[in-house]
Structure formats: structure tokens, C-alpha cells
Amino acid sequence: MSQKHKVIVAGHVALDLTPVIPPERKYNSVSEFLIPGILVDVGKVQFSVGGAVSNTGLAMKKLGADVSLMGKIGDDDLGKIVQRKYAEYGAGGLIVDSLVSTSYTVVIAAPGLDRIFLHDPAANNTFRCDDISDEALDGAELFHFGYPPLMRSIYENNGEELLKLYKRVKSKGILTSLDMAVVDPQGEAAKQNWPLILKEVLPYVDYFVPSLDEILFMLGPDFTDAKSAANECFRLGAKTVLIKCGTDGMYYKTAETEGAQPCFRPPFVASATGAGDTSIAAFLYSQLEGKSAEESARIAAMEGACCCTAYDTISGLKTIPELEQMIRDYKE
């Protein structure tokens, strides 16, 4: 049996609360669904762990990696639910801070509409570079960090802590990857100089894996599509760029190749929450297994489709051999 890849997934962690909305309902606009003063009859609420640490970290664990999860929660009721959920997956290791509350997200996934997120960063705002010890980094093959725009101490002062973290990790010879998150245009994160942050940090990033909306916001109006954004991120120093484009699939670029990977259509969609994060997990794990960027993107797209078949982010996922078989059997 081959030795497991040792991976660290750090950053944002939250509890997702998803009201189950009957799938037979269809909405053409948000205004049809969210009407002031109207009661909307829904089903039970689905509790699942969310954020990059949960979504990408637990997905990599399911794929077969030896994963250490590093994030921060509060010593409160929501934090206890997060710990219980992690225990169900055989995971743990989160920092519990009694001075902060646990981050949560209300995920509104109405049939026919894109998801709406109501989010409180909470404990994530206090997470810093020094929360990850040198001992924790020892022996790691890959370090993945997710959602800096939702972590105030990481992004403030134009990403000072983020740069400090990536310099430190790369000095140990560890492969690095970085995921982003949507920036609230009216929030504190929007006031940061994201082009400068990218210019400083990306030379220390081996795999840069943002969504298209995220990276276009950060790069500014001169960039309007995935190809131009990928080229710019590559020019700034990222060694491999994978841009998640929602239902349009993914765009990838390396020193040797670049291309677009279309989505695979799942048999049904329960929720798209976590599809991007879990596709990242499949891409990174495939890269660790020595697969090409093209193969890795194809596997990532299929894993993202599998994720959509469950309300949580993990139970719908498949292993790499299962994904490869699904790709071979796939018919439009």
C-alpha cells in the first residue's frame, strides 16, 4: 500500500444551516422567493460543517489523504455541533477559543436560484499565522489555505499575515495552494488592495484556485474572463492556476498547458454548496498522485457534480477510481 499524502488544510471553518426547500418548487427570481411579510413553508434544517477547512479538508480525507485540519471555533453551542460533526468524520484538531463565537452561514438554496449566504465570520476573524505551529507543518507535502477575504486578521493591512504565512510555509519546502472567497463589496475586505496582495503572495503559491467572480473582483475591471485572469495570476507568480467558473466548468493554466474543462451534469441537484471546494480537493489530490492538469481538472469537475447530489458537502463524494469510471461512463 502506498504511503498517504500528508496534507494540511487551514483557514475558514463554519457551521452551515441549510433549510430544505421542496425541490418541486421553482423560482425565477429572488423577489419571488424573499417577499417581506410572507411565510415560506420549508422542510427540516440541514446542519453541516462548512468553510474551506471542512469542505476541502474533509473531501481530501475521504479521497485518501492524511489530513490535518486547522481552524478556529468558539466554545459555544455551534462550536460543539462542529466538533461533533468532525468526530463523525474521524477528524478534529480545531482551536477552541472561549473568547469568540463560532462562525455560521445560513445557506438559502431555492430551486431555480443561485444560492444566497448569510454569514458571520466570528472566530475566523481572529485566526493568525502563529495559530499554526512549526511542529504542525513538519512532514507536510501540501499546505492548503482557504477564504482569506472572510478572515480579518489574515487580510487586514493588505494581507500582511497571509504573506507571512505563505513565506513561512514555502521556507519549509512544502507545496502550497490558496483558495479565495467572495468579497463583500461593502465590507472591510473590499477596502484592501487585492492586486497588491496577489502580487506579494502568489510567488509563494503553487496552486491558486479561486472562483471566477472572486478573482475578477480582485484583479479589477481590466480582466473580464477566466483566460485573461488565469494568465495574469500566472504572470504574478502562481505555478498552477485553476479558476472555478460555476456551471461553465473550470479554466486551468500551467507552464506546459492551459484549457477549459466543462461541467458534468449530475443526475439531480440537492445543493451546490461546497461543490467548488470539493472539486479543489479532487484536483489537488490528483496532482499529488501525479496526474496531468487536464486529467486533474476532469476529475475535479466530476467530483463537483457528485457533491451537488447531497445537501451536505461530503456524503455525495466519490474516490478517484470511482470518479474515473464515472467519467468513462458519462453521457450527456
Side-chain angles (χ1 to χ4, degrees):
M1 181 180 293
S2 61
Q3 187 174 3
K4 286 186 175 182
H5 302 288
K6 184 176 179 181
V7 174
I8 294 170
V9 178
H12 184 281
V13 60
L15 182 68
D16 288 348
L17 293 77
T18 307
V20 177
I21 301 170
E24 63 271 15
R25 296 188 180 188
K26 298 294 180 185
Y27 299 95
N28 296 312
S29 67
V30 173
S31 61
E32 288 184 10
F33 176 65
L34 298 177
I35 303 173
I38 296 297
L39 183 146
V40 179
D41 191 9
V42 300
K44 68 177 182 179
V45 64
Q46 175 80 39
F47 289 87
S48 56
V49 287
V53 174
S54 305
N55 298 343
T56 303
L58 292 177
M60 292 201 78
K61 184 177 178 66
K62 188 166 184 176
L63 287 167
D66 176 9
V67 183
S68 297
L69 305 176
M70 300 180 184
K72 185 181 285 190
I73 58 175
D75 186 17
D76 52 15
D77 290 340
L78 295 183
K80 289 177 174 61
I81 296 174
V82 171
Q83 288 182 299
R84 188 171 71 245
K85 290 287 186 182
Y86 269 44
E88 291 174 4
Y89 294 113
L94 297 176
I95 300 169
V96 180
D97 187 341
S98 62
L99 300 179
V100 297
S101 58
T102 300
S103 176
Y104 72 91
T105 305
V106 178
V107 182
I108 302 175
L113 302 179
D114 200 356
R115 295 156 297 158
I116 299 171
F117 302 96
L118 307 178
H119 178 66
D120 175 16
N124 294 296
N125 277 336
T126 69
F127 191 91
R128 305 185 70 87
C129 175
D130 290 342
D131 285 321
I132 302 174
S133 68
D134 283 335
E135 292 75 20
L137 295 171
D138 288 345
E141 185 176 353
L142 172 71
F143 175 87
H144 177 76
F145 194 90
Y147 298 9
L150 302 181
M151 306 178 72
R152 185 186 302 123
S153 295
I154 293 293
Y155 69 65
E156 64 186 356
N157 300 319
N158 290 324
E160 183 177 83
E161 281 287 301
L162 185 65
L163 178 59
K164 177 182 174 183
L165 175 61
Y166 272 80
K167 281 185 173 180
R168 184 170 149 227
V169 173
K170 282 307 295 179
S171 72
K172 294 180 174 295
I174 302 170
L175 287 171
T176 59
S177 62
L178 175 63
D179 189 15
M180 288 297 183
V182 174
V183 178
D184 179 355
Q186 298 187 47
E188 287 297 315
K191 299 176 184 178
Q192 305 301 308
N193 186 339
W194 287 102
L196 175 61
I197 293 173
L198 294 174
K199 179 181 177 181
E200 294 289 333
V201 174
L202 288 186
Y204 301 95
V205 176
D206 294 296
Y207 299 98
F208 186 45
V209 290
S211 76
L212 181 59
D213 289 343
E214 293 159 6
I215 192 57
L216 291 183
F217 179 91
M218 292 176 177
L219 289 176
D222 291 341
F223 301 89
T224 58
D225 57 35
K227 181 173 183 176
S228 64
N231 287 338
E232 177 65 5
C233 294
F234 191 81
R235 186 188 71 80
L236 290 173
K239 311 304 182 295
T240 295
V241 180
L242 179 74
I243 298 179
K244 299 158 291 180
C245 304
T247 55
D248 290 329
M250 305 173 178
Y251 194 89
Y252 58 89
K253 180 176 176 63
T254 71
E256 294 79 27
T257 186
E258 62 182 301
Q261 169 59 50
C263 277
F264 293 103
R265 294 186 180 277
F268 65 93
V269 175
S271 172
T273 301
D277 288 339
T278 54
S279 66
I280 287 170
F283 181 85
L284 294 174
Y285 190 84
S286 297
Q287 288 283 283
L288 293 177
E289 288 285 280
K291 297 184 184 298
S292 69
E294 182 180 13
E295 290 174 310
S296 299
R298 192 177 302 121
I299 289 169
M302 183 58 81
E303 190 74 290
C306 291
C307 179
C308 292
T309 62
Y311 280 102
D312 71 318
T313 59
I314 304 299
S315 59
L317 303 185
K318 306 297 182 183
T319 64
I320 298 296
E322 289 172 329
L323 294 168
E324 291 175 325
Q325 186 60 52
M326 291 174 72
I327 291 169
R328 288 191 289 270
D329 295 341
Y330 182 75
K331 295 181 176 60
E332 287 283 356

